[in-house]
mmCIF file of all heavy atoms in Angstrom:
data_model
loop_
_atom_site.group_PDB
_atom_site.id
_atom_site.type_symbol
_atom_site.label_atom_id
_atom_site.label_comp_id
_atom_site.label_asym_id
_atom_site.label_seq_id
_atom_site.Cartn_x
_atom_site.Cartn_y
_atom_site.Cartn_z
ATOM 1 N N LYS Y 271 144.713 99.810 92.891
ATOM 2 C CA LYS Y 271 144.387 98.854 93.950
ATOM 3 C C LYS Y 271 143.798 99.551 95.170
ATOM 4 O O LYS Y 271 142.888 99.031 95.811
ATOM 5 C CB LYS Y 271 145.623 98.045 94.342
ATOM 6 C CG LYS Y 271 146.054 97.046 93.302
ATOM 7 C CD LYS Y 271 147.277 96.282 93.736
ATOM 8 C CE LYS Y 271 147.735 95.333 92.636
ATOM 9 N NZ LYS Y 271 148.972 94.625 93.002
ATOM 10 N N VAL Y 272 144.304 100.733 95.484
ATOM 11 C CA VAL Y 272 143.773 101.508 96.611
ATOM 12 C C VAL Y 272 142.324 101.881 96.340
ATOM 13 O O VAL Y 272 141.456 101.714 97.207
ATOM 14 C CB VAL Y 272 144.623 102.766 96.879
ATOM 15 C CG1 VAL Y 272 143.952 103.694 97.880
ATOM 16 C CG2 VAL Y 272 146.012 102.379 97.364
ATOM 17 N N LEU Y 273 142.040 102.384 95.137
ATOM 18 C CA LEU Y 273 140.686 102.794 94.790
ATOM 19 C C LEU Y 273 139.715 101.624 94.840
ATOM 20 O O LEU Y 273 138.634 101.718 95.423
ATOM 21 C CB LEU Y 273 140.663 103.438 93.402
ATOM 22 C CG LEU Y 273 141.466 104.719 93.219
ATOM 23 C CD1 LEU Y 273 141.407 105.179 91.774
ATOM 24 C CD2 LEU Y 273 140.979 105.807 94.142
ATOM 25 N N VAL Y 274 140.109 100.506 94.229
ATOM 26 C CA VAL Y 274 139.239 99.329 94.186
ATOM 27 C C VAL Y 274 139.017 98.779 95.598
ATOM 28 O O VAL Y 274 137.879 98.491 95.992
ATOM 29 C CB VAL Y 274 139.820 98.244 93.253
ATOM 30 C CG1 VAL Y 274 139.035 96.947 93.360
ATOM 31 C CG2 VAL Y 274 139.841 98.730 91.809
ATOM 32 N N ALA Y 275 140.092 98.643 96.359
ATOM 33 C CA ALA Y 275 139.977 98.081 97.711
ATOM 34 C C ALA Y 275 139.105 98.961 98.602
ATOM 35 O O ALA Y 275 138.252 98.451 99.347
ATOM 36 C CB ALA Y 275 141.359 97.904 98.330
ATOM 37 N N ALA Y 276 139.285 100.273 98.530
ATOM 38 C CA ALA Y 276 138.498 101.182 99.371
ATOM 39 C C ALA Y 276 137.017 101.098 99.018
ATOM 40 O O ALA Y 276 136.167 100.952 99.906
ATOM 41 C CB ALA Y 276 139.008 102.618 99.227
ATOM 42 N N ASP Y 277 136.697 101.177 97.738
ATOM 43 C CA ASP Y 277 135.290 101.112 97.343
ATOM 44 C C ASP Y 277 134.682 99.741 97.630
ATOM 45 O O ASP Y 277 133.522 99.644 98.038
ATOM 46 C CB ASP Y 277 135.119 101.469 95.870
ATOM 47 C CG ASP Y 277 135.020 102.964 95.642
ATOM 48 O OD1 ASP Y 277 134.966 103.724 96.631
ATOM 49 O OD2 ASP Y 277 134.981 103.384 94.472
ATOM 50 N N LEU Y 278 135.453 98.690 97.448
ATOM 51 C CA LEU Y 278 134.960 97.344 97.729
ATOM 52 C C LEU Y 278 134.651 97.182 99.216
ATOM 53 O O LEU Y 278 133.571 96.702 99.595
ATOM 54 C CB LEU Y 278 135.975 96.298 97.269
ATOM 55 C CG LEU Y 278 135.572 94.844 97.409
ATOM 56 C CD1 LEU Y 278 134.345 94.540 96.561
ATOM 57 C CD2 LEU Y 278 136.726 93.938 96.986
ATOM 58 N N LEU Y 279 135.573 97.608 100.064
ATOM 59 C CA LEU Y 279 135.363 97.491 101.511
ATOM 60 C C LEU Y 279 134.174 98.332 101.968
ATOM 61 O O LEU Y 279 133.314 97.864 102.732
ATOM 62 C CB LEU Y 279 136.625 97.890 102.274
ATOM 63 C CG LEU Y 279 136.534 97.795 103.798
ATOM 64 C CD1 LEU Y 279 136.217 96.369 104.244
ATOM 65 C CD2 LEU Y 279 137.815 98.265 104.445
ATOM 66 N N ILE Y 280 134.086 99.559 101.489
ATOM 67 C CA ILE Y 280 132.965 100.418 101.865
ATOM 68 C C ILE Y 280 131.646 99.815 101.378
ATOM 69 O O ILE Y 280 130.654 99.797 102.111
ATOM 70 C CB ILE Y 280 133.161 101.852 101.328
ATOM 71 C CG1 ILE Y 280 134.335 102.532 102.047
ATOM 72 C CG2 ILE Y 280 131.884 102.673 101.500
ATOM 73 C CD1 ILE Y 280 134.744 103.870 101.446
ATOM 74 N N GLY Y 281 131.635 99.300 100.159
ATOM 75 C CA GLY Y 281 130.420 98.680 99.623
ATOM 76 C C GLY Y 281 129.972 97.498 100.453
ATOM 77 O O GLY Y 281 128.776 97.348 100.757
ATOM 78 N N VAL Y 282 130.908 96.647 100.850
ATOM 79 C CA VAL Y 282 130.568 95.485 101.684
ATOM 80 C C VAL Y 282 130.050 95.939 103.044
ATOM 81 O O VAL Y 282 129.047 95.417 103.552
ATOM 82 C CB VAL Y 282 131.792 94.555 101.819
ATOM 83 C CG1 VAL Y 282 131.577 93.508 102.893
ATOM 84 C CG2 VAL Y 282 132.104 93.885 100.486
ATOM 85 N N LEU Y 283 130.705 96.920 103.651
ATOM 86 C CA LEU Y 283 130.287 97.402 104.968
ATOM 87 C C LEU Y 283 128.890 98.014 104.944
ATOM 88 O O LEU Y 283 128.049 97.702 105.792
ATOM 89 C CB LEU Y 283 131.288 98.427 105.508
ATOM 90 C CG LEU Y 283 132.649 97.891 105.921
ATOM 91 C CD1 LEU Y 283 133.615 99.037 106.168
ATOM 92 C CD2 LEU Y 283 132.517 97.019 107.150
ATOM 93 N N ILE Y 284 128.642 98.873 103.972
ATOM 94 C CA ILE Y 284 127.340 99.538 103.913
ATOM 95 C C ILE Y 284 126.244 98.529 103.572
ATOM 96 O O ILE Y 284 125.128 98.603 104.110
ATOM 97 C CB ILE Y 284 127.369 100.714 102.918
ATOM 98 C CG1 ILE Y 284 128.317 101.804 103.435
ATOM 99 C CG2 ILE Y 284 125.969 101.295 102.717
ATOM 100 C CD1 ILE Y 284 128.546 102.944 102.483
ATOM 101 N N THR Y 285 126.547 97.578 102.713
ATOM 102 C CA THR Y 285 125.569 96.536 102.400
ATOM 103 C C THR Y 285 125.279 95.690 103.640
ATOM 104 O O THR Y 285 124.128 95.318 103.899
ATOM 105 C CB THR Y 285 126.061 95.662 101.229
ATOM 106 O OG1 THR Y 285 126.306 96.511 100.095
ATOM 107 C CG2 THR Y 285 125.042 94.606 100.853
ATOM 108 N N ALA Y 286 126.298 95.402 104.430
ATOM 109 C CA ALA Y 286 126.108 94.643 105.676
ATOM 110 C C ALA Y 286 125.227 95.418 106.657
ATOM 111 O O ALA Y 286 124.367 94.824 107.333
ATOM 112 C CB ALA Y 286 127.453 94.315 106.312
ATOM 113 N N VAL Y 287 125.417 96.722 106.741
ATOM 114 C CA VAL Y 287 124.562 97.544 107.603
ATOM 115 C C VAL Y 287 123.116 97.464 107.123
ATOM 116 O O VAL Y 287 122.183 97.318 107.920
ATOM 117 C CB VAL Y 287 125.050 99.012 107.653
ATOM 118 C CG1 VAL Y 287 124.026 99.916 108.327
ATOM 119 C CG2 VAL Y 287 126.385 99.100 108.368
ATOM 120 N N SER Y 288 122.913 97.526 105.816
ATOM 121 C CA SER Y 288 121.568 97.420 105.251
ATOM 122 C C SER Y 288 120.923 96.083 105.605
ATOM 123 O O SER Y 288 119.765 96.033 106.036
ATOM 124 C CB SER Y 288 121.629 97.576 103.731
ATOM 125 O OG SER Y 288 120.374 97.275 103.147
ATOM 126 N N ILE Y 289 121.677 95.010 105.437
ATOM 127 C CA ILE Y 289 121.154 93.676 105.746
ATOM 128 C C ILE Y 289 120.827 93.574 107.240
ATOM 129 O O ILE Y 289 119.785 93.029 107.616
ATOM 130 C CB ILE Y 289 122.153 92.593 105.297
ATOM 131 C CG1 ILE Y 289 122.221 92.570 103.764
ATOM 132 C CG2 ILE Y 289 121.772 91.227 105.849
ATOM 133 C CD1 ILE Y 289 123.371 91.754 103.206
ATOM 134 N N ALA Y 290 121.683 94.115 108.087
ATOM 135 C CA ALA Y 290 121.423 94.090 109.532
ATOM 136 C C ALA Y 290 120.161 94.882 109.873
ATOM 137 O O ALA Y 290 119.362 94.451 110.706
ATOM 138 C CB ALA Y 290 122.622 94.640 110.303
ATOM 139 N N CYS Y 291 119.984 96.037 109.235
ATOM 140 C CA CYS Y 291 118.785 96.849 109.483
ATOM 141 C C CYS Y 291 117.524 96.107 109.050
ATOM 142 O O CYS Y 291 116.493 96.188 109.719
ATOM 143 C CB CYS Y 291 118.867 98.174 108.727
ATOM 144 S SG CYS Y 291 120.026 99.371 109.390
ATOM 145 N N LEU Y 292 117.606 95.388 107.930
ATOM 146 C CA LEU Y 292 116.443 94.647 107.437
ATOM 147 C C LEU Y 292 116.187 93.383 108.255
ATOM 148 O O LEU Y 292 115.034 93.038 108.536
ATOM 149 C CB LEU Y 292 116.632 94.283 105.959
ATOM 150 C CG LEU Y 292 116.616 95.462 104.986
ATOM 151 C CD1 LEU Y 292 117.097 95.035 103.610
ATOM 152 C CD2 LEU Y 292 115.213 96.061 104.899
ATOM 153 N N ALA Y 293 117.249 92.687 108.640
ATOM 154 C CA ALA Y 293 117.105 91.414 109.352
ATOM 155 C C ALA Y 293 116.805 91.601 110.840
ATOM 156 O O ALA Y 293 116.093 90.786 111.436
ATOM 157 C CB ALA Y 293 118.368 90.578 109.180
ATOM 158 N N PHE Y 294 117.357 92.645 111.431
ATOM 159 C CA PHE Y 294 117.200 92.877 112.873
ATOM 160 C C PHE Y 294 116.746 94.312 113.141
ATOM 161 O O PHE Y 294 117.479 95.081 113.771
ATOM 162 C CB PHE Y 294 118.515 92.596 113.599
ATOM 163 C CG PHE Y 294 119.115 91.269 113.286
ATOM 164 C CD1 PHE Y 294 120.203 91.162 112.420
ATOM 165 C CD2 PHE Y 294 118.600 90.102 113.848
ATOM 166 C CE1 PHE Y 294 120.769 89.934 112.128
ATOM 167 C CE2 PHE Y 294 119.150 88.870 113.555
ATOM 168 C CZ PHE Y 294 120.232 88.776 112.698
ATOM 169 N N PRO Y 295 115.569 94.680 112.677
ATOM 170 C CA PRO Y 295 115.148 96.089 112.788
ATOM 171 C C PRO Y 295 114.993 96.585 114.227
ATOM 172 O O PRO Y 295 115.099 97.783 114.473
ATOM 173 C CB PRO Y 295 113.796 96.116 112.057
ATOM 174 C CG PRO Y 295 113.313 94.705 112.085
ATOM 175 C CD PRO Y 295 114.540 93.842 112.075
ATOM 176 N N ASP Y 296 114.779 95.676 115.153
ATOM 177 C CA ASP Y 296 114.577 96.092 116.545
ATOM 178 C C ASP Y 296 115.853 96.029 117.384
ATOM 179 O O ASP Y 296 115.849 96.455 118.542
ATOM 180 C CB ASP Y 296 113.496 95.221 117.199
ATOM 181 C CG ASP Y 296 112.148 95.404 116.523
ATOM 182 O OD1 ASP Y 296 111.884 96.536 116.060
ATOM 183 O OD2 ASP Y 296 111.386 94.430 116.442
ATOM 184 N N ASP Y 297 116.927 95.494 116.830
ATOM 185 C CA ASP Y 297 118.188 95.373 117.573
ATOM 186 C C ASP Y 297 119.023 96.633 117.362
ATOM 187 O O ASP Y 297 119.966 96.663 116.575
ATOM 188 C CB ASP Y 297 118.946 94.127 117.130
ATOM 189 C CG ASP Y 297 120.092 93.763 118.063
ATOM 190 O OD1 ASP Y 297 120.470 94.602 118.914
ATOM 191 O OD2 ASP Y 297 120.606 92.637 117.940
ATOM 192 N N THR Y 298 118.674 97.683 118.089
ATOM 193 C CA THR Y 298 119.338 98.972 117.893
ATOM 194 C C THR Y 298 120.809 98.932 118.287
ATOM 195 O O THR Y 298 121.620 99.642 117.697
ATOM 196 C CB THR Y 298 118.617 100.090 118.676
ATOM 197 O OG1 THR Y 298 118.523 99.711 120.046
ATOM 198 C CG2 THR Y 298 117.243 100.349 118.107
ATOM 199 N N ARG Y 299 121.160 98.100 119.265
ATOM 200 C CA ARG Y 299 122.576 98.014 119.661
ATOM 201 C C ARG Y 299 123.423 97.454 118.519
ATOM 202 O O ARG Y 299 124.510 97.962 118.243
ATOM 203 C CB ARG Y 299 122.733 97.132 120.889
ATOM 204 C CG ARG Y 299 122.137 97.736 122.133
ATOM 205 C CD ARG Y 299 122.340 96.825 123.289
ATOM 206 N NE ARG Y 299 123.031 97.592 124.308
ATOM 207 C CZ ARG Y 299 123.391 97.112 125.449
ATOM 208 N NH1 ARG Y 299 123.178 95.848 125.738
ATOM 209 N NH2 ARG Y 299 123.990 97.882 126.327
ATOM 210 N N LEU Y 300 122.928 96.424 117.861
ATOM 211 C CA LEU Y 300 123.655 95.830 116.738
ATOM 212 C C LEU Y 300 123.792 96.830 115.603
ATOM 213 O O LEU Y 300 124.889 97.043 115.077
ATOM 214 C CB LEU Y 300 122.949 94.563 116.239
ATOM 215 C CG LEU Y 300 123.513 93.962 114.948
ATOM 216 C CD1 LEU Y 300 124.888 93.372 115.187
ATOM 217 C CD2 LEU Y 300 122.562 92.933 114.386
ATOM 218 N N VAL Y 301 122.674 97.431 115.225
ATOM 219 C CA VAL Y 301 122.689 98.375 114.101
ATOM 220 C C VAL Y 301 123.574 99.570 114.428
ATOM 221 O O VAL Y 301 124.388 99.997 113.589
ATOM 222 C CB VAL Y 301 121.252 98.803 113.733
ATOM 223 C CG1 VAL Y 301 121.272 99.926 112.714
ATOM 224 C CG2 VAL Y 301 120.459 97.608 113.209
ATOM 225 N N PHE Y 302 123.461 100.117 115.634
ATOM 226 C CA PHE Y 302 124.283 101.259 116.022
ATOM 227 C C PHE Y 302 125.766 100.878 116.030
ATOM 228 O O PHE Y 302 126.610 101.630 115.538
ATOM 229 C CB PHE Y 302 123.861 101.791 117.393
ATOM 230 C CG PHE Y 302 124.618 103.014 117.808
ATOM 231 C CD1 PHE Y 302 124.376 104.235 117.209
ATOM 232 C CD2 PHE Y 302 125.598 102.939 118.792
ATOM 233 C CE1 PHE Y 302 125.085 105.372 117.581
ATOM 234 C CE2 PHE Y 302 126.313 104.070 119.174
ATOM 235 C CZ PHE Y 302 126.050 105.285 118.569
ATOM 236 N N GLY Y 303 126.083 99.712 116.571
ATOM 237 C CA GLY Y 303 127.473 99.245 116.573
ATOM 238 C C GLY Y 303 128.031 99.097 115.171
ATOM 239 O O GLY Y 303 129.167 99.498 114.896
ATOM 240 N N LEU Y 304 127.222 98.521 114.274
ATOM 241 C CA LEU Y 304 127.661 98.387 112.876
ATOM 242 C C LEU Y 304 127.831 99.747 112.214
ATOM 243 O O LEU Y 304 128.762 99.944 111.431
ATOM 244 C CB LEU Y 304 126.663 97.551 112.080
ATOM 245 C CG LEU Y 304 126.775 96.045 112.221
ATOM 246 C CD1 LEU Y 304 125.617 95.348 111.519
ATOM 247 C CD2 LEU Y 304 128.097 95.549 111.658
ATOM 248 N N LEU Y 305 126.938 100.677 112.511
ATOM 249 C CA LEU Y 305 127.058 102.018 111.935
ATOM 250 C C LEU Y 305 128.351 102.698 112.369
ATOM 251 O O LEU Y 305 129.061 103.290 111.552
ATOM 252 C CB LEU Y 305 125.859 102.879 112.338
ATOM 253 C CG LEU Y 305 124.579 102.655 111.570
ATOM 254 C CD1 LEU Y 305 123.431 103.426 112.205
ATOM 255 C CD2 LEU Y 305 124.742 103.038 110.124
ATOM 256 N N ILE Y 306 128.677 102.616 113.650
ATOM 257 C CA ILE Y 306 129.898 103.245 114.153
ATOM 258 C C ILE Y 306 131.136 102.551 113.574
ATOM 259 O O ILE Y 306 132.071 103.216 113.104
ATOM 260 C CB ILE Y 306 129.932 103.254 115.695
ATOM 261 C CG1 ILE Y 306 128.794 104.105 116.245
ATOM 262 C CG2 ILE Y 306 131.276 103.729 116.224
ATOM 263 C CD1 ILE Y 306 128.828 105.556 115.824
ATOM 264 N N ALA Y 307 131.143 101.217 113.595
ATOM 265 C CA ALA Y 307 132.290 100.477 113.042
ATOM 266 C C ALA Y 307 132.454 100.774 111.555
ATOM 267 O O ALA Y 307 133.580 100.955 111.067
ATOM 268 C CB ALA Y 307 132.104 98.980 113.275
ATOM 269 N N SER Y 308 131.345 100.862 110.846
ATOM 270 C CA SER Y 308 131.417 101.181 109.413
ATOM 271 C C SER Y 308 131.910 102.596 109.188
ATOM 272 O O SER Y 308 132.708 102.846 108.280
ATOM 273 C CB SER Y 308 130.043 100.993 108.765
ATOM 274 O OG SER Y 308 129.665 99.649 108.795
ATOM 275 N N ALA Y 309 131.443 103.535 109.994
ATOM 276 C CA ALA Y 309 131.881 104.926 109.846
ATOM 277 C C ALA Y 309 133.385 105.050 110.053
ATOM 278 O O ALA Y 309 134.073 105.738 109.287
ATOM 279 C CB ALA Y 309 131.125 105.823 110.819
ATOM 280 N N VAL Y 310 133.914 104.375 111.068
ATOM 281 C CA VAL Y 310 135.361 104.404 111.315
ATOM 282 C C VAL Y 310 136.101 103.775 110.130
ATOM 283 O O VAL Y 310 137.083 104.334 109.630
ATOM 284 C CB VAL Y 310 135.706 103.677 112.634
ATOM 285 C CG1 VAL Y 310 137.206 103.487 112.784
ATOM 286 C CG2 VAL Y 310 135.157 104.450 113.824
ATOM 287 N N SER Y 311 135.610 102.643 109.655
ATOM 288 C CA SER Y 311 136.249 101.962 108.525
ATOM 289 C C SER Y 311 136.186 102.807 107.261
ATOM 290 O O SER Y 311 137.148 102.857 106.486
ATOM 291 C CB SER Y 311 135.581 100.603 108.278
ATOM 292 O OG SER Y 311 135.710 99.779 109.406
ATOM 293 N N ILE Y 312 135.060 103.474 107.049
ATOM 294 C CA ILE Y 312 134.926 104.352 105.883
ATOM 295 C C ILE Y 312 135.902 105.515 105.979
ATOM 296 O O ILE Y 312 136.521 105.910 104.986
ATOM 297 C CB ILE Y 312 133.469 104.830 105.735
ATOM 298 C CG1 ILE Y 312 132.586 103.656 105.298
ATOM 299 C CG2 ILE Y 312 133.360 105.998 104.761
ATOM 300 C CD1 ILE Y 312 131.097 103.912 105.407
ATOM 301 N N GLY Y 313 136.075 106.068 107.169
ATOM 302 C CA GLY Y 313 137.054 107.139 107.359
ATOM 303 C C GLY Y 313 138.460 106.682 107.033
ATOM 304 O O GLY Y 313 139.243 107.406 106.406
ATOM 305 N N ILE Y 314 138.790 105.460 107.438
ATOM 306 C CA ILE Y 314 140.112 104.898 107.121
ATOM 307 C C ILE Y 314 140.254 104.735 105.612
ATOM 308 O O ILE Y 314 141.272 105.130 105.024
ATOM 309 C CB ILE Y 314 140.322 103.562 107.857
ATOM 310 C CG1 ILE Y 314 140.422 103.805 109.370
ATOM 311 C CG2 ILE Y 314 141.571 102.836 107.331
ATOM 312 C CD1 ILE Y 314 140.348 102.541 110.209
ATOM 313 N N CYS Y 315 139.232 104.171 104.972
ATOM 314 C CA CYS Y 315 139.281 103.992 103.514
ATOM 315 C C CYS Y 315 139.402 105.333 102.795
ATOM 316 O O CYS Y 315 140.187 105.470 101.853
ATOM 317 C CB CYS Y 315 138.035 103.251 103.032
ATOM 318 S SG CYS Y 315 137.977 101.516 103.484
ATOM 319 N N ASP Y 316 138.618 106.324 103.235
ATOM 320 C CA ASP Y 316 138.668 107.643 102.606
ATOM 321 C C ASP Y 316 140.032 108.304 102.753
ATOM 322 O O ASP Y 316 140.463 109.060 101.878
ATOM 323 C CB ASP Y 316 137.589 108.565 103.183
ATOM 324 C CG ASP Y 316 136.211 108.284 102.616
ATOM 325 O OD1 ASP Y 316 136.097 107.527 101.625
ATOM 326 O OD2 ASP Y 316 135.229 108.808 103.182
ATOM 327 N N SER Y 317 140.715 108.024 103.870
ATOM 328 C CA SER Y 317 142.031 108.641 104.070
ATOM 329 C C SER Y 317 143.038 108.157 103.031
ATOM 330 O O SER Y 317 144.026 108.837 102.766
ATOM 331 C CB SER Y 317 142.545 108.378 105.482
ATOM 332 O OG SER Y 317 142.962 107.041 105.631
ATOM 333 N N PHE Y 318 142.783 107.009 102.424
ATOM 334 C CA PHE Y 318 143.652 106.505 101.360
ATOM 335 C C PHE Y 318 143.051 106.785 99.974
ATOM 336 O O PHE Y 318 143.779 107.074 99.025
ATOM 337 C CB PHE Y 318 143.898 104.998 101.527
ATOM 338 C CG PHE Y 318 144.719 104.694 102.748
ATOM 339 C CD1 PHE Y 318 144.114 104.366 103.949
ATOM 340 C CD2 PHE Y 318 146.098 104.777 102.710
ATOM 341 C CE1 PHE Y 318 144.860 104.111 105.086
ATOM 342 C CE2 PHE Y 318 146.863 104.531 103.837
ATOM 343 C CZ PHE Y 318 146.239 104.194 105.030
#
C-alpha cells in the first residue's frame, strides 16, 4: 500500500505540473508554486 500510494500520488502531482505547464505556460508563479509543492510532496512520499 505504501508503494502504490507513493507512486500514485507522485504520478498525479507530476502530471498536474505538466498540465499546468501546458495550460498556463506564461504563469510562472503558478508553475513554480506547483513545482515546489510537488517537490515537497515527492520528498514526503520518498521518505516512505
Side-chain angles (χ1 to χ4, degrees):
K271 289 180 183 177
V272 170
L273 297 177
V274 172
D277 275 354
L278 184 62
L279 181 60
I280 292 171
V282 168
L283 290 169
I284 294 174
T285 303
V287 169
S288 171
I289 292 168
C291 287
L292 292 168
F294 308 103
D296 297 327
D297 193 347
T298 55
R299 292 181 124 181
L300 172 69
V301 172
F302 183 73
L304 279 173
L305 281 172
I306 296 299
S308 294
V310 170
S311 299
I312 290 167
I314 292 168
C315 289
D316 282 349
S317 73
F318 292 95

